[in-house]
Amino acid sequence: MIANKPRPARTIQFVLAWAVGVIGTITTAISLFPEVASIVSVRDVSSLGSAAALLVVSVIYLSVPILIALAIANTGRRWWLWLTIAIAVIVLLRVARFAVGSLGVYWITF
């Protein structure tokens, strides 16, 4: 599909994908910063397990804008795959939100 599009349309598509990926990841990271900072300050050995789980969840939050950007960029003509994975991750995060909280991420509070 992308090869058949005129060059300006492909350029706009990639610029939009880049903007969504970069801006989404940066704003998600900024909203995660207070929680990650509190995780890093954990000094108690018994809390390391929960801190590790929260760090994993933080990485999953950061993957959502990247997956959406890949869907917009139509990477490998598999936009539907990236979009499906992004939706599945968002649903997973919505369900896990009750166990770990939203970690201050702005787009999960809809």
Side-chain angles (χ1 to χ4, degrees), residues 4-17:
N4 298 336
K5 288 185 179 179
R7 186 161 177 79
R10 284 187 292 164
T11 303
I12 291 171
Q13 184 176 3
F14 285 124
V15 167
L16 179 62

Side-chain angles (χ1 to χ4, degrees), residues 35-36 38-42 44-60 100 103:
E35 289 295 327
V36 173
S38 68
I39 292 169
V40 171
S41 67
V42 170
D44 187 14
V45 175
S46 64
S47 298
L48 287 179
S50 63
L54 288 176
L55 285 176
V56 168
V57 171
S58 298
V59 170
I60 294 171
V100 295
L103 298 182

Side-chain angles (χ1 to χ4, degrees), residues 1-2 5 9-22 24 64-84 86:
M1 297 283 179
I2 257 183
K5 288 185 179 179
R10 284 187 292 164
T11 303
I12 291 171
Q13 184 176 3
F14 285 124
V15 167
L16 179 62
W18 180 85
V20 167
V22 170
V64 172
I66 295 167
L67 291 168
I68 293 172
L70 287 171
I72 293 170
N74 197 11
T75 307
R77 297 184 184 182
R78 301 254 195 282
W79 65 269
W80 54 270
L81 176 65
W82 300 115
L83 189 59
T84 304

